[in-house]
Amino acid sequence: MLKGKNILIGVTGSIAAYKIPLLVRLLVKEGANVKVILTDSARNFVTPLTLSTLTGNPVYSDFFEKNDGTWHSHVEFGNWADVFVIAPVSATTMGKMVNGIADNLLVATYLAAKCPVYIAPAMDVDMFLHPSTQKNIERLKSFGNILIEPETGELASGLSGPGRLQEPETITEIIKSHFQKKKDFKGKRVLISAGPTYELIDPVRFIGNFSSGRMGYAIAEAMAERGAEVELISGPVELIPVNTSINLTRVTSAGEMFEACKNKLEWADVIIMAAAVADYTPTTASKIKIKKKEDSLSVKLKPTVDILKYLGENKSTQQVLVGFALETDNELENAKNKLKNKNLDLIVLNSLKDEGAGFGHSTNKVTFIDKYGAVNEMELKQKYEVASDLADKLKNIL
Ligand code: CTP
């Protein structure tokens, strides 16, 4: 199953490192080429000799070979790997990964890696549940890293709770299913918009919104993962696509997003407008900074182009168009009206009433409504899982 696949395992200092020789053995048995990087601290829990014997490859920890000074290139490791699994990943290493502190070979390789990265945390329950750890996990997920959730159970410390490294058999299954993923969008061209737009008032001020871009970026990753050619038109967000095949165009305003989408309309088989485009923009942006005055200040606004509507009016019958609707009330009815009025094939409804849904969360709860009248209310899920559900839904429509 894993024949010819290059799997890089990063091991950090956690008692759970004792499970890694078994993981390596299972992966090698499946035909994978396995290389291992250990942090210094990991060497206290598992020996390089065990792992090099099981993998048939040298085990690395340092940038240089101490006896002859040979350079171990983190960039080469990053390029070699089809998938990088960091298991167990400690709280310290996650903190370094989030902040780009590349003071060891493992974190330097992480920063250089172009392949999907799986992280499997293992630590005591209190460390795992600490806001710092939880925040770091959220940040890593926002970089596109895939979390292998720790199990809940008895921990090495004697405490009980979440924090136990997943069993090697489970991690092996996750890696196997990673490679089994369908390439069912091969040959399809998908245009996706993401993030907010900023409408300038003057050189230092703008009207914007809270969109983080995570939903649109997750869709871009899911589509690229399934073989699609992806054009991502992104408003101002901090994210960068993980999959290097994604072609990214950055824009700022609704006007720029409209031009970028219009240019790609003919090219696309599927168009997904996940961006939170501003509905209004200042009639004129002042060239100089507006000075504070005693009395009130009014900014006159004019409507922006409704990009989704334009795309609906100008698309061919073969092209599939998806819109998003963020609603606070009368959700289903409003979304159905948007679907019809904008000539969409599918609309993804978010309700701000649902906890964990909408802007700023790594999760989302959506309802898919298609032009044939089917309504699918989904559970609260991670945004990358919502993206995968959307891909499945689109596959049916296509
Ligand atoms: N959208 C767009 N161009 C705009 C505004 C919105 O393409 N100028 C797209 C968004 O990307 C999203 C969909 O329209 O896919 C829904 O946006 P929303 O603001 O909810 O809908 P509106 O039609 O603007 O209606 P309202 O704001 O009144 O709810």
Side-chain angles (χ1 to χ4, degrees):
M1 170 67 230
L2 295 174
K3 204 161 173 43
K5 302 294 180 211
N6 294 339
I7 300 172
L8 185 62
I9 310 272
V11 187
T12 76
S14 154
I15 179 68
Y18 80 88
K19 292 183 178 176
I20 301 309
L22 184 53
L23 172 67
V24 167
R25 209 169 73 88
L26 292 170
L27 295 173
V28 170
K29 232 168 124 189
E30 292 282 343
N33 307 315
V34 182
K35 288 186 182 175
V36 179
I37 299 178
L38 296 177
T39 60
D40 278 344
S41 157
R43 295 167 81 101
N44 296 320
F45 297 95
V46 65
T47 73
L49 183 62
T50 311
L51 292 165
S52 64
T53 308
L54 289 171
T55 58
N57 283 313
V59 168
Y60 305 93
S61 288
D62 297 312
F63 289 100
F64 292 97
E65 202 59 58
K66 290 213 169 75
N67 44 13
D68 64 3
T70 318
W71 165 244
H72 300 148
S73 167
H74 54 285
V75 176
E76 259 169 48
F77 285 127
N79 284 337
W80 174 84
D82 294 316
V83 67
F84 188 11
V85 183
I86 310 181
V89 64
S90 64
T92 308
T93 296
M94 285 196 286
K96 288 184 185 180
M97 288 160 71
V98 165
N99 292 294
I101 301 171
D103 66 350
N104 64 36
L105 185 64
L106 193 153
V107 180
T109 304
Y110 165 74
L111 295 182
K114 294 210 163 52
C115 60
V117 179
Y118 284 78
I119 49 165
M123 64 199 72
D124 245 343
V125 54
D126 297 323
M127 278 178 93
F128 181 72
L129 294 178
H130 193 279
S132 157
T133 310
Q134 290 301 314
K135 224 170 161 196
N136 283 340
I137 290 175
E138 284 312 312
R139 288 283 284 161
L140 291 170
K141 286 200 296 195
S142 80
F143 299 164
N145 303 158
I146 306 150
L147 175 71
I148 301 178
E149 290 271 2
E151 279 188 313
T152 297
E154 198 181 310
L155 301 164
S157 60
L159 296 174
S160 200
R164 205 163 74 179
L165 182 71
Q166 279 293 351
E167 292 306 317
E169 290 79 3
T170 312
I171 300 179
T172 305
E173 281 312 309
I174 291 171
I175 297 171
K176 276 164 70 180
S177 72
H178 170 87
F179 288 107
Q180 269 165 353
K181 270 199 192 127
K182 323 164 245 186
K183 295 282 177 204
D184 51 358
F185 278 82
K186 207 168 169 56
K188 293 285 174 222
R189 296 163 165 181
V190 183
L191 173 65
I192 299 159
S193 71
T197 64
Y198 287 179
E199 311 303 318
L200 283 190
I201 297 171
D202 70 13
V204 293
R205 302 176 181 102
F206 61 84
I207 299 172
N209 60 65
F210 291 122
S211 168
S212 65
R214 281 196 227 165
M215 192 63 248
Y217 275 65
I219 296 168
E221 298 292 349
M223 290 294 173
E225 186 70 30
R226 287 167 75 154
E229 221 180 302
V230 176
E231 275 288 332
L232 177 61
I233 315 280
S234 171
V237 292
E238 280 182 21
L239 307 175
I240 40 169
V242 177
N243 193 312
T244 48
S245 75
I246 296 171
N247 196 26
L248 174 69
T249 303
R250 290 197 189 274
V251 296
T252 305
S253 64
E256 286 171 18
M257 188 166 276
F258 173 55
E259 288 304 321
C261 291
K262 197 168 73 169
N263 287 340
K264 282 285 165 195
L265 171 59
E266 264 185 45
W267 169 88
D269 298 307
V270 178
I271 305 150
I272 304 166
M273 282 296 297
V277 188
D279 287 328
Y280 291 92
T281 190
T283 44
T284 49
S286 170
K287 293 254 178 314
I288 52 166
K289 189 177 165 214
I290 300 169
K291 284 286 174 200
K292 187 165 60 190
K293 297 195 187 90
E294 289 297 302
D295 47 355
S296 68
L297 173 76
S298 305
V299 179
K300 197 159 182 218
L301 304 175
K302 62 179 180 194
T304 56
V305 178
D306 187 329
I307 308 171
L308 191 60
K309 193 152 193 277
Y310 172 90
L311 298 173
E313 283 164 357
N314 291 280
K315 78 176 182 88
S316 72
T317 46
Q318 271 79 49
Q319 289 176 302
V320 172
L321 181 59
V322 182
F324 272 69
L326 180 65
E327 306 290 342
T328 55
D329 53 281
N330 263 340
E331 293 95 332
L332 212 51
E333 198 187 321
N334 286 340
K336 281 181 178 167
N337 284 339
K338 277 180 197 170
L339 178 84
K340 194 154 164 272
N341 297 340
K342 301 192 187 189
N343 190 26
L344 310 180
D345 298 279
L346 180 71
I347 193 153
V348 185
L349 165 66
N350 284 290
S351 169
L352 275 189
K353 278 188 196 151
D354 289 320
E355 193 137 324
F359 290 164
H361 298 280
S362 67
T363 50
N364 205 355
K365 185 173 183 324
V366 302
T367 302
F368 296 116
I369 307 158
D370 70 23
K371 64 175 173 188
Y372 308 107
V375 177
N376 299 109
E377 198 179 331
M378 314 301 284
E379 317 247 283
L380 182 74
K381 294 184 181 191
Q382 291 295 329
K383 282 185 174 166
Y384 73 88
E385 292 174 295
V386 175
S388 162
D389 289 345
L390 173 60
D392 290 340
K393 188 81 198 158
L394 278 170
K395 199 64 216 166
N396 289 336
I397 295 176
L398 281 166

